[in-house]
Amino acid sequence: MNVPRPAISDVSDAELTAWLAAHGEPAYRRKQIRRHATHTCAAGWSELTDLPNGLRDALASSFRWSSVEPVIEQASADGETRKVLLQLHDGHRIETVLMPHHGARNSVCLSTQAGCPMACAFCATGEMGLIRNLMPGEIVDQVRHWQRELAARGERVSHVVYMGMGEPFNNYDATIASARELVAANGFGISPRRLTISTCGVVPKIDALAGEGLPINLAVSLHAADDRTRGAIMPINRKWGIDEVLAASARYVARTKRRVTFEYVLLAGVNDSADAARELANRIARAGRPGDYHVNLIPVNAGPGGFKRPPIETMERFAEILSERGIAATVRISKGQDIAAGCGQLKVDERAGATLAKV
Ligand code: SAH
């Protein structure tokens, strides 16, 4: 495989400074370049008009402006949610979603891997298997893709959720490096409190994140109240069972003083009974303080396994049982399902990617 020029998002400040010095350029150019990368609508080196022409050409021959190239974009009929298919330098493809909320906030949903190795029974990404891990720059460039467009109308990406394709904690170092870039004052400058990383329950990495000194939000995909049910729909449960995941979540709360969100996909006849709700509440209460958690109940989106959504009354009853026990719970329907941009619906046809791959 031919090695591409590094993408600017994967070039460290030290490397860029050294490159500028070697090209006889003043050090302040680095800040100009970074500002364009994170704050303006510049879509390529030629658009950095405050840099001399010769420098732009030299930069273009050394670095790619972005590591992701848009292939197809889709907009939901809800008028807000949008999804874009992005191509990586080696032809693999990922998806990222923009979820604006009535002009008040702009949330971006990021992918951390092309495909995913976790094989959860209800998730479309899991059907792909793992293609490869993304580089930190390939994660950050998904934010840049939307940021460029938002900048054109004076808006910014305000929130970031690591809930796209892949398991962030299976690509831990790149995920953390990207999060540091997103919160860096000389990077995107997004408040860490507006970043959320979601994991299917990779326990050692929950503890690792607690020790990073990055006060970001943690979401844990629980999806069942007992190990037999969870094991049947989430293979990861054979490695770390529910009580281990809950204990790690309690440690995260204790160390970071941040609430943890539990995601719970409601699957009719599988994990939606009143008994399951009581069992979940009991286990959460045994592991920590009920008030430290929020449970997001997600009616399953169309995907593999033929799972069905429970009736609305069943979902509300489930939420009530948790609330009665002091655990905040909300039923949340994901947006953008008409363009398969809802939770667990991101999937790429790798065969199509292979045909269109650039050499
Ligand atoms: N791998 C991480 C990040 C993905 S986040 C994790 O598992 O947390 C995507 C969320 O959508 C996860 O909670 C996932 O379990 C959930 N999900 C997967 N398939 C879904 C479906 N068909 N309907 C609703 N949610 C789904």
Side-chain angles (χ1 to χ4, degrees):
M1 194 182 69
N2 59 337
V3 181
R5 288 161 295 146
I8 194 66
S9 303
D10 277 319
V11 176
S12 70
D13 280 351
E15 287 165 334
L16 186 52
T17 305
W19 186 96
L20 287 165
H23 287 74
E25 289 288 339
Y28 67 78
R29 296 282 185 219
R30 178 173 59 81
K31 278 196 180 159
Q32 284 180 295
I33 295 166
R34 292 284 191 228
R35 201 185 64 82
H36 278 292
T38 56
H39 284 72
T40 74
C41 0
W45 289 110
S46 63
E47 295 178 26
L48 276 59
T49 45
D50 49 352
L51 302 185
N53 260 328
L55 173 57
R56 284 187 248 162
D57 291 345
L59 283 163
S61 51
S62 293
F63 310 112
R64 285 172 298 149
W65 180 242
S66 177
S67 55
V68 299
E69 243 180 76
V71 182
I72 306 165
E73 197 184 301
Q74 289 172 278
S76 165
D78 69 22
E80 295 213 297
T81 310
R82 280 157 57 202
K83 176 172 95 165
V84 67
L85 176 68
L86 298 169
Q87 181 149 313
L88 311 174
H89 71 84
D90 54 4
H92 293 307
R93 291 166 166 210
I94 55 167
E95 291 184 313
T96 171
V97 179
L98 174 69
M99 300 167 291
H101 300 275
H102 316 292
R105 52 197 259 182
N106 290 301
S107 304
V108 167
C109 179
L110 297 184
S111 296
T112 54
Q113 299 183 307
C116 183
M118 293 305 183
C120 299
F122 41 82
C123 179
T125 312
E127 285 188 307
M128 295 175 65
L130 177 65
I131 311 292
R132 74 163 167 87
N133 279 335
L134 300 187
M135 300 273 290
E138 290 169 330
I139 302 174
V140 167
D141 282 349
Q142 297 169 57
V143 178
R144 288 179 62 209
H145 171 83
W146 298 116
Q147 177 55 40
R148 274 199 288 280
E149 172 190 317
L150 291 170
R153 43 176 209 266
E155 291 182 36
R156 304 239 343 119
V157 171
S158 62
H159 293 72
V160 171
V161 296
Y162 287 77
M163 298 189 182
M165 297 167 72
E167 166 52 43
F169 284 173
N170 247 32
N171 186 15
Y172 183 83
D173 292 346
T175 295
I176 298 303
S178 72
R180 291 199 185 280
E181 175 64 25
L182 295 177
V183 304
N186 63 348
F188 285 84
I190 301 173
S191 161
R193 293 180 163 69
R194 294 174 165 199
L195 256 55
T196 303
I197 297 187
S198 181
T199 177
C200 63
V202 180
V203 166
K205 301 296 189 221
I206 294 178
D207 289 318
L209 180 65
E212 292 285 348
L214 256 178
I216 59 186
N217 303 303
L218 175 70
V220 178
S221 298
L222 223 45
H223 304 331
D226 64 275
D227 284 317
R228 198 181 49 80
T229 308
R230 193 166 189 266
I233 54 177
M234 297 178 74
I236 184 82
N237 196 71
R238 289 169 217 151
K239 207 152 181 186
W240 295 286
I242 292 184
D243 288 332
E244 284 172 281
V245 172
L246 292 176
S249 305
R251 290 194 294 273
Y252 190 84
V253 173
R255 257 178 107 175
T256 63
K257 310 282 180 278
R258 315 261 328 135
R259 265 178 152 201
V260 166
T261 299
F262 292 128
E263 286 151 297
Y264 195 103
V265 176
L266 286 163
L267 311 165
V270 177
N271 64 359
D272 61 340
S273 68
D275 277 348
R278 282 188 282 269
E279 172 79 20
L280 182 63
N282 289 342
R283 282 185 190 248
I284 291 176
R286 273 206 303 273
R289 280 185 313 216
D292 289 338
Y293 305 97
H294 186 108
V295 178
N296 264 344
L297 298 166
I298 314 164
V300 66
N301 296 322
F307 295 101
K308 296 274 176 293
R309 292 180 170 188
I312 184 75
E313 311 79 63
T314 309
M315 301 198 284
E316 280 169 359
R317 180 84 192 103
F318 200 101
E320 244 170 57
I321 294 173
L322 295 174
S323 304
E324 281 161 10
R325 285 162 172 76
I327 302 163
T330 24
V331 177
R332 206 157 280 180
I333 298 184
S334 30
K335 296 175 105 189
Q337 289 173 53
D338 55 335
I339 54 167
C343 294
Q345 295 190 306
L346 304 185
K347 183 179 183 183
V348 168
D349 185 348
E350 272 288 317
R351 288 163 307 158
T355 357
L356 283 165
K358 288 199 187 138
V359 214

